[in-house]
Amino acid sequence: MSVQVKPNRAKVGLFVIGTIGAIIAVIALIAPSGFDEGMYFDPDSSDPVGIKAMVLMLEGLGAEVDEVSELPIDDYDVAMIFEEYLGDSELDAMNEWVNEGGTLVIADTHSSLIPFTASFNEDEDDSVVNDCDVAALSQVGSISQTYNMFRAADGAQACFGDGVDGQVVIGPAGEGTIVAIGDPEIFINENINKEDNALLAAALLAPKPGMRVALVGDAQIGNGADTIGSLMGDSVNKGIFQLVAGFLVYVLWRARRLGRPVSETLPVELSASDLVRSMGNLLRKAQCREQVGQLLNDDLRRRLSRRLHLATNSSAQEVAAVAAERTGLAVERFQSVLIPSPLNTDSDLVALGVAIEKIHQEVGHV
């Protein structure tokens, strides 16, 4: 089979690509870069992963809620951190604010501000009941399950757990208080109305009217009125313009046709999806659970090796040891999904897949 290339098709295609590139560059220079309302934990987003519902609820209770990207925050009563991206000086300022009497609620389990040891929550229930005697949480009956738990120490109290480890741990820090929460997603729009998640947010952030709440995050490009182009110097703008102009000249030069179109024999296309589907059906009919499980184990080992910057031929034991050291999780959890084990039923194979997905979520924060 052969195809005849139409005259000027290549030239038109390259010209279109060059034009699109130029338009993108111009837009980047002149258009304001607003805050992405689809981002996780965006206070202004009504998307499922935003936290606008929580903010409106707190404001309805009489609290004043502000998004803060600069420290210190001396004028606020409570601060909450969903994702901690603070520098050393900002961490020092935050610690000083807490020690002087502030209340810090942290939902980022990897934050260096949390003085409690975190561990993966292996409970499979959808919710967990309150089991502590903290007066501020007396109205909170149960909350959604979180991915992590914390070990209470140094006078801290563990709630929604077994008394020693809890999904919410409250402890003193100087004259102030630190509250660690095992998962920030219990406060996003799609989860805030589940169980007593909303009551937990209200009890921690707005226990009484008039509270000033700071939602602490890193500085975001686009929060001001300046455009990206105005923030860059004239020399940078001129350099970008020259690069775009040079690219357009190159596209036009390469798009010229040097002769008549040449007929080409197209390769035979193989349907890869059909091959994969057929292989899966064969393995299912042959009840090759052990083989499928080993494929999953090997695939996870290679992915973790790349993620942890190890050699691709590293053994499962080596990868498990390094992953446990980097994440703080038990080495046995990694060994259970990296080292092949008997899979007697289809349920065992499904459980292996679920365990591997949880490992991906945990190591994704490393």
mmCIF file of all heavy atoms in Angstrom, residues 14-33:
data_model
loop_
_atom_site.group_PDB
_atom_site.id
_atom_site.type_symbol
_atom_site.label_atom_id
_atom_site.label_comp_id
_atom_site.label_asym_id
_atom_site.label_seq_id
_atom_site.Cartn_x
_atom_site.Cartn_y
_atom_site.Cartn_z
ATOM 1 N N LEU A 14 3.944 22.461 9.152
ATOM 2 C CA LEU A 14 5.007 23.107 9.925
ATOM 3 C C LEU A 14 4.690 24.564 10.198
ATOM 4 O O LEU A 14 5.002 25.100 11.266
ATOM 5 C CB LEU A 14 6.338 22.993 9.171
ATOM 6 C CG LEU A 14 6.940 21.587 9.108
ATOM 7 C CD1 LEU A 14 8.181 21.587 8.230
ATOM 8 C CD2 LEU A 14 7.285 21.091 10.503
ATOM 9 N N PHE A 15 4.051 25.220 9.244
ATOM 10 C CA PHE A 15 3.678 26.621 9.463
ATOM 11 C C PHE A 15 2.654 26.737 10.592
ATOM 12 O O PHE A 15 2.720 27.651 11.429
ATOM 13 C CB PHE A 15 3.117 27.209 8.171
ATOM 14 C CG PHE A 15 2.698 28.649 8.305
ATOM 15 C CD1 PHE A 15 3.650 29.661 8.333
ATOM 16 C CD2 PHE A 15 1.354 28.978 8.433
ATOM 17 C CE1 PHE A 15 3.254 30.983 8.464
ATOM 18 C CE2 PHE A 15 0.962 30.295 8.574
ATOM 19 C CZ PHE A 15 1.925 31.305 8.580
ATOM 20 N N VAL A 16 1.697 25.801 10.616
ATOM 21 C CA VAL A 16 0.692 25.823 11.687
ATOM 22 C C VAL A 16 1.345 25.618 13.041
ATOM 23 O O VAL A 16 1.032 26.303 14.026
ATOM 24 C CB VAL A 16 -0.388 24.751 11.431
ATOM 25 C CG1 VAL A 16 -1.290 24.603 12.650
ATOM 26 C CG2 VAL A 16 -1.209 25.112 10.200
ATOM 27 N N ILE A 17 2.280 24.658 13.120
ATOM 28 C CA ILE A 17 2.973 24.399 14.392
ATOM 29 C C ILE A 17 3.739 25.631 14.841
ATOM 30 O O ILE A 17 3.713 26.022 16.015
ATOM 31 C CB ILE A 17 3.922 23.194 14.238
ATOM 32 C CG1 ILE A 17 3.115 21.917 14.011
ATOM 33 C CG2 ILE A 17 4.800 23.053 15.476
ATOM 34 C CD1 ILE A 17 3.963 20.702 13.721
ATOM 35 N N GLY A 18 4.440 26.274 13.916
ATOM 36 C CA GLY A 18 5.188 27.473 14.264
ATOM 37 C C GLY A 18 4.283 28.597 14.731
ATOM 38 O O GLY A 18 4.598 29.315 15.684
ATOM 39 N N THR A 19 3.144 28.756 14.061
ATOM 40 C CA THR A 19 2.205 29.812 14.448
ATOM 41 C C THR A 19 1.649 29.567 15.844
ATOM 42 O O THR A 19 1.541 30.486 16.661
ATOM 43 C CB THR A 19 1.050 29.885 13.440
ATOM 44 O OG1 THR A 19 1.586 30.113 12.126
ATOM 45 C CG2 THR A 19 0.098 31.008 13.798
ATOM 46 N N ILE A 20 1.302 28.307 16.138
ATOM 47 C CA ILE A 20 0.789 27.975 17.472
ATOM 48 C C ILE A 20 1.832 28.269 18.542
ATOM 49 O O ILE A 20 1.530 28.823 19.604
ATOM 50 C CB ILE A 20 0.346 26.497 17.523
ATOM 51 C CG1 ILE A 20 -0.872 26.278 16.619
ATOM 52 C CG2 ILE A 20 0.027 26.082 18.957
ATOM 53 C CD1 ILE A 20 -1.299 24.829 16.509
ATOM 54 N N GLY A 21 3.099 27.915 18.254
ATOM 55 C CA GLY A 21 4.166 28.196 19.213
ATOM 56 C C GLY A 21 4.311 29.682 19.477
ATOM 57 O O GLY A 21 4.508 30.116 20.620
ATOM 58 N N ALA A 22 4.218 30.488 18.415
ATOM 59 C CA ALA A 22 4.329 31.941 18.581
ATOM 60 C C ALA A 22 3.170 32.488 19.399
ATOM 61 O O ALA A 22 3.348 33.360 20.257
ATOM 62 C CB ALA A 22 4.375 32.607 17.209
ATOM 63 N N ILE A 23 1.958 32.002 19.136
ATOM 64 C CA ILE A 23 0.788 32.471 19.886
ATOM 65 C C ILE A 23 0.921 32.141 21.366
ATOM 66 O O ILE A 23 0.632 32.964 22.245
ATOM 67 C CB ILE A 23 -0.495 31.848 19.310
ATOM 68 C CG1 ILE A 23 -0.746 32.389 17.895
ATOM 69 C CG2 ILE A 23 -1.691 32.136 20.209
ATOM 70 C CD1 ILE A 23 -1.912 31.733 17.188
ATOM 71 N N ILE A 24 1.394 30.913 21.677
ATOM 72 C CA ILE A 24 1.572 30.525 23.083
ATOM 73 C C ILE A 24 2.580 31.427 23.769
ATOM 74 O O ILE A 24 2.390 31.850 24.914
ATOM 75 C CB ILE A 24 2.005 29.049 23.165
ATOM 76 C CG1 ILE A 24 0.862 28.140 22.700
ATOM 77 C CG2 ILE A 24 2.424 28.691 24.589
ATOM 78 C CD1 ILE A 24 1.241 26.684 22.623
ATOM 79 N N ALA A 25 3.671 31.747 23.070
ATOM 80 C CA ALA A 25 4.688 32.617 23.660
ATOM 81 C C ALA A 25 4.132 34.004 23.928
ATOM 82 O O ALA A 25 4.407 34.608 24.983
ATOM 83 C CB ALA A 25 5.890 32.696 22.721
ATOM 84 N N VAL A 26 3.340 34.542 22.993
ATOM 85 C CA VAL A 26 2.765 35.872 23.192
ATOM 86 C C VAL A 26 1.781 35.867 24.351
ATOM 87 O O VAL A 26 1.771 36.781 25.198
ATOM 88 C CB VAL A 26 2.068 36.338 21.895
ATOM 89 C CG1 VAL A 26 1.297 37.623 22.151
ATOM 90 C CG2 VAL A 26 3.098 36.552 20.790
ATOM 91 N N ILE A 27 0.950 34.815 24.435
ATOM 92 C CA ILE A 27 -0.012 34.741 25.541
ATOM 93 C C ILE A 27 0.696 34.673 26.879
ATOM 94 O O ILE A 27 0.296 35.295 27.867
ATOM 95 C CB ILE A 27 -0.937 33.523 25.357
ATOM 96 C CG1 ILE A 27 -1.847 33.734 24.144
ATOM 97 C CG2 ILE A 27 -1.772 33.263 26.607
ATOM 98 C CD1 ILE A 27 -2.720 32.542 23.820
ATOM 99 N N ALA A 28 1.797 33.919 26.937
ATOM 100 C CA ALA A 28 2.549 33.803 28.188
ATOM 101 C C ALA A 28 3.116 35.136 28.628
ATOM 102 O O ALA A 28 3.303 35.387 29.816
ATOM 103 C CB ALA A 28 3.679 32.785 28.024
ATOM 104 N N LEU A 29 3.400 36.019 27.662
ATOM 105 C CA LEU A 29 3.991 37.311 27.998
ATOM 106 C C LEU A 29 2.958 38.348 28.410
ATOM 107 O O LEU A 29 3.215 39.195 29.265
ATOM 108 C CB LEU A 29 4.791 37.843 26.795
ATOM 109 C CG LEU A 29 6.106 37.131 26.494
ATOM 110 C CD1 LEU A 29 6.698 37.675 25.213
ATOM 111 C CD2 LEU A 29 7.083 37.281 27.636
ATOM 112 N N ILE A 30 1.764 38.311 27.816
ATOM 113 C CA ILE A 30 0.827 39.401 28.046
ATOM 114 C C ILE A 30 -0.355 39.026 28.925
ATOM 115 O O ILE A 30 -1.031 39.898 29.461
ATOM 116 C CB ILE A 30 0.285 39.939 26.702
ATOM 117 C CG1 ILE A 30 -0.557 38.866 25.990
ATOM 118 C CG2 ILE A 30 1.404 40.415 25.824
ATOM 119 C CD1 ILE A 30 -1.225 39.358 24.723
ATOM 120 N N ALA A 31 -0.620 37.737 29.102
ATOM 121 C CA ALA A 31 -1.817 37.341 29.847
ATOM 122 C C ALA A 31 -1.489 37.171 31.317
ATOM 123 O O ALA A 31 -0.444 36.634 31.664
ATOM 124 C CB ALA A 31 -2.372 36.023 29.295
ATOM 125 N N PRO A 32 -2.377 37.629 32.215
ATOM 126 C CA PRO A 32 -2.171 37.394 33.635
ATOM 127 C C PRO A 32 -2.250 35.906 33.939
ATOM 128 O O PRO A 32 -3.044 35.184 33.347
ATOM 129 C CB PRO A 32 -3.336 38.144 34.304
ATOM 130 C CG PRO A 32 -3.857 39.075 33.245
ATOM 131 C CD PRO A 32 -3.578 38.424 31.940
ATOM 132 N N SER A 33 -1.392 35.458 34.862
ATOM 133 C CA SER A 33 -1.390 34.039 35.219
ATOM 134 C C SER A 33 -2.169 33.860 36.498
ATOM 135 O O SER A 33 -1.645 33.961 37.592
ATOM 136 C CB SER A 33 0.046 33.541 35.412
ATOM 137 O OG SER A 33 0.723 34.326 36.370
#
